[in-house]
Amino acid sequence: MKWGFIGFGRIARKFLASLEVVQGETPYAFASRSNATALQKEFPHVKVYDSYDALLADEQVDVVYISTTHNFHAQNVIDALRAGKHVLCEKPMGISSEQVLKMAQVAEETGMFLMEAMWMRFLPAYKQVITRIKAGEIGEVKHMTASFGFRSEDKLSKDGRLMNPDLAGGALYDVGVYPLTIASDLFGWEPVDFKAHAIKSSTGVDESIQIQLDFGKDRLVQLFGSVALQTNKEAYIYGTKGYVRMPLFWKAQSYEIVREEEIERFEVPFLSTGYAHEIEEVARCIANGQQESENFSLNDSLMSAKLVESILSTIFK
């Protein structure tokens, strides 16, 4: 397929590197409102548009990858679907469950494929970990902890995306959704109870957030996300027969299984910059005539949005 890019920043460049190693998938056109001229000089063999509408009007574009700021995702997705394009949209696909429902409805109406780009779920190491846990290798899972925090002075300026409430900034939207997704793979999207506490920035967004979730049957989850503090970025999953440690879990290429004093280490590297695996999933689904992926379905996106909404409502009530 020929891919079009709506928005072209740091993540899009990593995505592009992976796209170029997936056989049969071609970077065809970029659309950027801010740096189209520079992109045309940098990528002379790719079409570059200075408007999103112009890219969507190009009949050669088969599928669109969207990596604009979070607040624009829903409209970008709907416009692309109605233009007859398949869509892969960066997370969070919507900043409300209402937005996700609308996007899913338009995807159904148009018959186009739509998926949220939760790339972690498609990484070989991550998939292997979840499969082994569900096979009972660490017994019955009872507890999980995960933290994902970083600090970048450039990104934390009041003018930057992460601290701007108008651009859907904040820790939960940007990094918190990753540990929430692991929790969903283990226990589902609907805890019986949760508590959330946040440190708010001067601009009013959550710069750090702590979440405790109770999934019943003595299953507890503790998560931390931050765009103001650097953390170890590790996930631990504890069962009755041992535990799993995943370093850098959102871009996992290794993990450990620990039972008593025995530690088994596994290396499972990803292709290129890691985005290749979700690209392969999109290509597979579209080739099979599917409108969504069973590995990260539109219901996953909806349930994730509902949980994020619930958590934010307790913080900003």
Side-chain angles (χ1 to χ4, degrees):
M1 295 182 294
K2 292 180 179 177
W3 288 70
F5 286 53
I6 289 182
F8 200 88
R10 180 178 59 87
I11 298 301
R13 289 180 179 274
K14 291 183 177 182
F15 186 90
L16 174 62
S18 280
L19 182 63
E20 290 175 329
V21 306
V22 180
Q23 187 174 2
E25 306 307 302
T26 304
Y28 171 78
F30 304 153
S32 174
R33 293 172 175 170
S34 60
N35 60 346
T37 301
L39 288 175
Q40 188 64 81
K41 292 179 180 178
E42 185 178 356
F43 301 100
H45 302 298
V46 176
K47 283 195 172 184
V48 177
Y49 294 102
D50 60 7
S51 80
Y52 303 156
D53 288 343
L55 181 144
L56 295 178
D58 189 329
E59 295 182 357
Q60 293 296 309
V61 175
D62 299 306
V63 55
V64 171
Y65 169 67
I66 294 169
S67 61
T68 50
T69 54
H70 302 156
N71 57 303
F72 291 121
H73 285 177
Q75 192 60 55
N76 293 156
V77 167
I78 289 169
D79 290 345
L81 292 170
R82 287 180 171 159
K85 313 301 183 187
H86 302 294
V87 177
L88 174 65
C89 180
E90 270 305 331
K91 58 82 197 163
M93 189 166 71
I95 56 174
S96 71
S97 58
E98 182 181 0
Q99 285 187 353
V100 175
L101 278 170
K102 179 63 175 177
M103 287 182 274
Q105 179 185 351
V106 174
E108 184 176 359
E109 291 171 356
T110 58
M112 307 310 295
F113 174 86
L114 173 61
M115 190 177 87
E116 186 173 359
M118 180 50 73
W119 72 309
M120 178 182 71
R121 262 210 184 164
F122 303 97
L123 297 176
Y126 182 83
K127 290 173 68 176
Q128 193 173 110
V129 164
I130 298 300
T131 297
R132 296 183 72 167
I133 289 172
K134 290 186 174 180
E137 291 201 25
I138 60 169
E140 187 178 357
V141 178
K142 290 294 185 180
H143 184 47
M144 174 201 144
T145 66
S147 75
F148 189 169
F150 66 88
R151 181 177 180 85
S152 168
E153 297 299 337
D154 292 337
K155 294 177 182 178
L156 292 178
S157 70
K158 292 183 179 180
D159 298 325
R161 172 183 67 83
L162 290 173
M163 292 301 173
N164 190 333
D166 294 332
L167 300 181
L172 184 55
Y173 280 136
D174 206 72
V175 295
V177 290
Y178 286 109
L180 282 178
T181 297
I182 300 182
S184 78
D185 277 322
L186 299 173
F187 307 124
W189 288 109
E190 298 179 285
V192 297
D193 190 23
F194 71 86
K195 291 181 174 61
H197 304 277
I199 298 171
K200 298 174 187 175
S201 71
S202 61
T203 57
V205 303
D206 53 308
E207 65 177 44
S208 295
I209 184 167
Q210 178 177 283
I211 310 165
Q212 294 174 297
L213 305 105
D214 181 350
F215 285 90
K217 300 179 181 178
D218 302 323
R219 300 175 301 173
L220 302 175
V221 170
Q222 187 166 11
L223 311 175
F224 182 76
S226 180
V227 293
L229 295 172
Q230 182 174 340
T231 72
N232 59 17
K233 303 181 181 70
E234 293 186 339
Y236 287 82
I237 301 164
Y238 300 92
T240 54
K241 297 179 181 178
Y243 69 89
V244 169
R245 170 181 172 263
M246 277 195 289
L248 303 179
F249 66 88
W250 88 103
K251 58 177 183 178
Q253 298 194 78
S254 65
Y255 64 94
E256 297 175 353
I257 296 181
V258 182
R259 304 179 188 88
E260 298 292 341
E261 303 300 317
E262 178 189 354
I263 302 175
E264 291 184 274
R265 295 181 174 88
F266 303 90
E267 301 290 331
V268 193
F270 51 59
L271 291 174
S272 184
T273 59
Y275 295 87
H277 304 284
E278 68 177 356
I279 294 168
E280 291 175 336
E281 175 71 0
V282 172
R284 181 191 68 82
C285 289
I286 294 173
N288 290 340
Q290 297 173 227
Q291 287 182 246
E292 61 181 302
S293 166
E294 63 272 19
N295 294 307
F296 201 81
S297 67
L298 295 179
N299 187 63
D300 281 317
S301 295
L302 177 61
M303 298 304 290
S304 175
K306 285 184 175 181
L307 183 54
V308 168
E309 272 181 333
S310 298
I311 292 169
L312 289 177
S313 70
T314 68
I315 295 170
F316 295 102
K317 58 186 177 181

